[in-house]
């Protein structure tokens, strides 16, 4: 993850320097995007380190921090996009001169940096989307350099803003679903499928802890004289079905009485 953090920081730093040397609305859009992504990678890196701590005491709550970091990233992108749109609209009218060479070099360097990044927990998705943004910015700079159509700078910036907002809304909606512990499956369908294997299945609950961890709990009825080996076989059959739905944390509770029916 340190390599990933360095790669995204390099992308942010290169675009920040572009803004210092030759400010434009397009470079502003790119540096805002790079800042948001660097923040997410920084938080994710910290999360992974904490998860790897021996006896760190961190459980599912730490994974929720990933969701919050994504939401904050989307917030940075959306707020920054509004600022960039205002700047872009002003530049469309004035069409200010821009050297473009810093933007071209910075965008290609940023794209190269994030392509070198690797990691888990949504980093690959960031790499793809960021590379598209930076490469588009670089080619827009090349076109302006050879055509002197400076109006392409704010126009490209507005297009990238619309693109970023378009891809950010589904991410925000997905993060909200995770925070609200929405089920990742068709509960009725899966419960019916489980009952075909074990008719005693009840109290089934499925939810997403974060983007890469889905959890499930359920109850099975048992008899006092059931052997442990038989109970284990029933549990494994249940888990086998749930794993098909990418549910990787399953808790099965066996009960030998009817006392918990009132709590369902």
């Amino acid at each position: 993850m340190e390599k990933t953090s360095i790669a995204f920081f390099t992308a942010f730093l290169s675009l920040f320097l572009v803004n210092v040397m030759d400010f434009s609305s397009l470079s502003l859009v790119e540096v805002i995007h790079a800042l948001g992504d660097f923040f997410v990678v920084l938080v994710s890196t910290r999360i992974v380190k904490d998860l790897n701590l021996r006896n760190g005491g961190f459980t599912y709550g730490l994974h929720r921090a990933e969701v919050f970091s994504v939401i904050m990233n989307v917030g940075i992108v959306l707020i920054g996009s509004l600022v960039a749109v205002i700047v872009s609209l002003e530049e469309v009218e004035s069409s200010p001169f821009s050297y473009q060479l810093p933007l071209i070099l910075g965008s290609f360097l940023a794209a190269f940096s994030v392509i070198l990044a690797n990691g888990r927990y949504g980093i690959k998705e960031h790499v793809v989307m960021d590379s598209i943004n930076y490469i588009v910015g670089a080619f827009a700079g090349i076109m302006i350099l050879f055509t002197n159509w400076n109006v392409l700078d704010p126009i490209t910036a507005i297009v990238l803003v619309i693109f970023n907002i378009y891809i950010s809304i589904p991410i925000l909606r997905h993060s909200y679903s995770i925070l609200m512990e929405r089920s990742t499956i068709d509960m009725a369908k899966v419960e019916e499928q489980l009952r075909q294997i074990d008719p005693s299945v009840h109290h089934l609950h499925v939810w997403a802890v974060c983007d890469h961890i889905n959890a499930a709990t359920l109850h099975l009825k048992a008899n006092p004289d059931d052997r442990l080996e038989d109970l284990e076989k029933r549990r494994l059959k249940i888990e086998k079905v749930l794993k098909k739905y990418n549910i990787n944390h399953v808790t099965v509770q066996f009960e030998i009485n009817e006392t918990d029916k009132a709590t369902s």
Side-chain angles (χ1 to χ4, degrees):
M1 290 296 289
E2 290 184 0
K3 177 182 176 182
T4 304
S5 300
I6 293 173
F8 276 85
F9 175 73
T10 302
F12 165 71
L13 182 61
S14 62
L15 293 170
F16 175 78
L17 292 176
V18 168
N19 267 266
V20 173
M21 292 184 291
D22 187 23
F23 177 82
S24 70
S25 56
L26 182 54
S27 62
L28 177 62
V29 170
E30 292 197 341
V31 76
I32 290 172
H33 193 101
L35 174 62
D37 287 334
F38 173 63
F39 172 79
V40 170
V41 172
L42 201 63
V43 172
S44 298
T45 302
R46 176 61 185 178
I47 290 170
V48 171
K49 286 183 178 180
D50 288 340
L51 286 173
N52 292 333
L53 286 176
R54 182 174 297 179
N55 299 323
F58 296 106
T59 55
Y60 287 152
L62 189 57
H63 289 286
R64 289 300 177 90
E66 298 175 37
V67 183
F68 281 112
S69 67
V70 171
I71 292 176
M72 293 185 69
N73 175 37
V74 173
I76 292 173
V77 171
L78 292 179
I79 294 174
S81 295
L82 293 177
V83 175
V85 166
I86 295 174
V87 175
S88 299
L89 292 176
E90 293 178 352
E91 288 195 356
V92 166
E93 296 180 357
S94 59
S95 296
F97 174 77
S98 179
Y99 291 105
Q100 295 301 320
L101 189 58
L103 173 64
I104 297 170
L105 296 177
S107 296
F108 274 127
L109 176 60
F112 180 73
S113 298
V114 297
I115 289 173
L116 291 179
N118 59 9
R120 299 158 60 193
Y121 313 138
I123 298 300
K124 292 181 179 179
E125 289 80 359
H126 277 296
V127 168
V128 174
M129 303 314 300
D130 291 352
S131 299
I132 292 174
N133 272 269
Y134 303 147
I135 292 174
V136 168
F139 277 102
I142 293 174
M143 291 182 63
I144 297 171
L145 186 64
F146 285 99
T147 63
N148 290 323
W149 294 348
N150 292 314
V151 72
L152 287 177
D153 188 296
I155 290 177
T156 305
I158 293 175
V159 171
L160 287 180
V161 165
I162 295 173
F163 174 73
N164 290 331
I165 292 176
Y166 176 77
I167 64 175
S168 295
I169 292 176
I171 295 173
L172 189 61
R173 187 183 297 115
H174 178 64
S175 299
Y176 173 78
S177 297
I178 293 177
L179 289 178
M180 297 303 293
E181 297 187 348
R182 181 178 180 179
S183 177
T184 59
I185 61 172
D186 184 335
M187 292 289 291
K189 176 183 177 181
V190 174
E191 189 166 3
E192 179 63 27
Q193 188 175 353
L194 291 175
R195 284 178 177 171
Q196 291 177 1
I197 299 173
D198 195 319
S200 70
V201 170
H202 60 289
H203 289 184
L204 174 64
H205 300 280
V206 179
W207 69 100
V209 177
C210 60
D211 196 48
H212 56 279
I213 296 180
N214 296 314
T217 62
L218 60 109
H219 292 191
L220 298 177
K221 294 181 180 179
N223 296 317
D225 55 347
D226 285 343
R227 296 185 307 168
L228 184 60
E229 293 84 356
D230 295 332
L231 297 177
E232 180 68 5
K233 290 180 180 178
R234 293 171 62 189
R235 182 186 67 81
L236 291 176
K237 289 180 180 179
I238 294 294
E239 289 190 357
K240 184 178 181 180
V241 173
L242 293 176
K243 282 184 178 179
K244 295 179 181 179
Y245 296 92
N246 197 32
I247 300 172
N248 39 30
H249 285 257
V250 180
T251 301
V252 179
Q253 177 179 323
F254 291 95
E255 57 187 38
I256 58 174
N257 55 55
E258 306 291 325
T259 56
D260 69 340
K261 275 190 174 182
T263 62
S264 62

